[in-house]
C-alpha cells in the first residue's frame, strides 16, 4: 500500500480520469479529484472513494489558468500532504470536421485546455517535487492520445495536434528532470469507451471502428487507468 502518497488527477470527474482516481485510491493513495464545472460528477467519484475507506478531496480548478493551478496544489498540500504523483488527464474535444471548418477560436481553446493545462501542472509539480528544490521526487503521467500519431484527418486535427504537443512536452521534460527524482511518462489511449466521443458528435465512434482493432473491441477506461497507475508505481 502507498498510504503516504498523494495524487492529483486533473479532469477526473468522469471517464479515464475517474477510473484512475478510483484505482489510485484502491492502492492507498490519497487522491484529489479535479474538475472544472461538473461538481455533481466529481462528488460522486469522491463519495465512492470515501465509502471504500479512501482519502479523497475534490477541488474545482481550471487547470489552463496558472492561478487556479497554484491554488489546486496549495489546497492539496494543505489537506492531503506532499503531492507525489500528478496525472494530467484534463482535455476537451470538439465536433468532428475538416481543418478548414475549424475556427481560430476553437483551435486556440483546444491548445489552451489540452496543452497549457499540462504545461502549467507539470511546472507546479516540478517546483515541489524536484530534489534540486528540496523536494522528495515524484511521478508525472500525461494522458495523450492515439490521435497524436494518426493526426485524426477529417475528424479533429486540432485535438490531434494538441496531443502531439503533449507527447513532445513529455519527452523533453522526462529528460530534463530525470536527475531531479522525477519520472515523466505518457499513455496514448486508442479507441476507448468514454463520454468524450459524444463531445465529438459521434457517441457510437468506438463501435463503428472497433473492427479495425485486432481484438475486435474498444477499450474501457479502467484498462487505461491500470497503465497510468503502473507508470506511477515504483
Amino acid at each position: 500500500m502507498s498510504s503516504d502518497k498523494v495524487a492529483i488527477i486533473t479532469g477526473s470527474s468522469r471517464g479515464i480520469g475517474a477510473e484512475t482516481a478510483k484505482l489510485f485510491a484502491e492502492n492507498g493513495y490519497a487522491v484529489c479529484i479535479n474538475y472544472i464545472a461538473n461538481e455533481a460528477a466529481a462528488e460522486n467519484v469522491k463519495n465512492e472513494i470515501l465509502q471504500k475507506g479512501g482519502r479523497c478531496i475534490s477541488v474545482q480548478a481550471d487547470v489552463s489558468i496558472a492561478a487556479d493551478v497554484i491554488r489546486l496544489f496549495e489546497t492539496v498540500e494543505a489537506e492531503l500532504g506532499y503531492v507525489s504523483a500528478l496525472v494530467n488527464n484534463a482535455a476537451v474535444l470538439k465536433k468532428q470536421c475538416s481543418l478548414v471548418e475549424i475556427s481560430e477560436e476553437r483551435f486556440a481553446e483546444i491548445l489552451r485546455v489540452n496543452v497549457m493545462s499540462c504545461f502549467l501542472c507539470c511546472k507546479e509539480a516540478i517546483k515541489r517535487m524536484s530534489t534540486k528544490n528540496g523536494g522528495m521526487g515524484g511521478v508525472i503521467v500525461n494522458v495523450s492520445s492515439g490521435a497524436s500519431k494518426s493526426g485524426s484527418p477529417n475528424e479533429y486535427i486540432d485535438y490531434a495536434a494538441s496531443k502531439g504537443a503533449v507527447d513532445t512536452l513529455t519527452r523533453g521534460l522526462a529528460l530534463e528532470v530525470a536527475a531531479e527524482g522525477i519520472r515523466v511518462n505518457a499513455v496514448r489511449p486508442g479507441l476507448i469507451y468514454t463520454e468524450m466521443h459524444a463531445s465529438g458528435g459521434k457517441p457510437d465512434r468506438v463501435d463503428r471502428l472497433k473492427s479495425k482493432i485486432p481484438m475486435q473491441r474498444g477499450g474501457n477506461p479502467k484498462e487505461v487507468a491500470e497503465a497510468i497507475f503502473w507508470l506511477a508505481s515504483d
Side-chain angles (χ1 to χ4, degrees), residues 13 19 32-33 37 63 80 87 92 97 110-111 123 127 130 139 161 167 213 223:
S13 65
E19 290 300 325
C32 171
I33 307 295
V63 287
L80 297 178
V87 178
V92 293
C97 64
I110 292 290
L111 294 182
K123 182 177 180 180
K127 286 180 182 178
S130 173
V139 181
D167 284 358
I213 301 171
E223 290 174 306

Side-chain angles (χ1 to χ4, degrees), residues 72-90:
L72 170 65
F73 274 80
E74 289 178 344
T75 301
V76 174
E77 286 184 334
E79 297 190 25
L80 297 178
Y82 178 83
V83 177
S84 52
L86 165 68
V87 178
N88 283 308
N89 172 71

Side-chain angles (χ1 to χ4, degrees), residues 94-121:
K94 299 295 185 179
K95 188 175 179 179
Q96 290 187 9
C97 64
S98 64
L99 183 137
V100 295
E101 297 174 275
I102 297 173
S103 68
E104 180 182 344
E105 292 75 20
R106 166 176 157 163
F107 199 92
E109 182 187 357
I110 292 290
L111 294 182
R112 177 180 63 80
V113 176
N114 298 2
V115 184
M116 185 62 72
S117 64
C118 184
F119 159 69
L120 290 172
C121 288

